[in-house]
Amino acid sequence: MSAVADKLKSLPFLTDKNNPVGYAVQSTIEFAGDSRRLVQRCTKPDAKEFKKIAVACAIGFSIMGFIGYTVKLVFIPINNIIIGGN
């Protein structure tokens, strides 16, 4: 990492956030550091936590499916009235 830092120091426009190129480079470096820190902190869920997440997702999918089905069921007759079904 020090080799990259030395190269950045030799090109000052890459470290200046007021310069558009420097802003992009510095933002990318910060994003990479934050992403690395996040991945290092992440842990694999245990079976209980995984089951809780899976159940919550299943309930959410069911609720959204029911809402979609209900909306479709209500709007089919309304659409036929508006368009004037034959």
Side-chain angles (χ1 to χ4, degrees):
M1 190 78 166
S2 64
V4 174
D6 291 337
K7 287 182 182 180
L8 286 177
K9 287 179 184 175
S10 66
L11 301 169
F13 72 93
L14 291 178
T15 58
D16 183 18
K17 275 203 161 189
N18 294 325
N19 186 346
V21 175
Y23 182 79
V25 169
Q26 289 300 316
S27 297
T28 303
I29 291 171
E30 289 175 12
F31 176 75
D34 291 343
S35 298
R36 184 171 180 244
R37 193 174 317 116
L38 174 70
V39 169
Q40 287 176 342
R41 273 190 72 110
C42 290
T43 58
K44 186 175 179 181
D46 58 352
K48 182 179 178 184
E49 185 179 7
F50 179 78
K51 185 176 179 183
K52 184 185 279 188
I53 292 170
V55 167
C57 289
I59 290 171
F61 273 108
S62 300
I63 291 171
M64 292 302 291
F66 180 74
I67 290 171
Y69 178 75
T70 305
V71 167
K72 190 71 170 176
L73 194 64
V74 168
F75 277 101
I76 288 175
I78 293 174
N79 195 19
N80 287 338
I81 292 169
I82 292 173
I83 293 177
N86 293 325

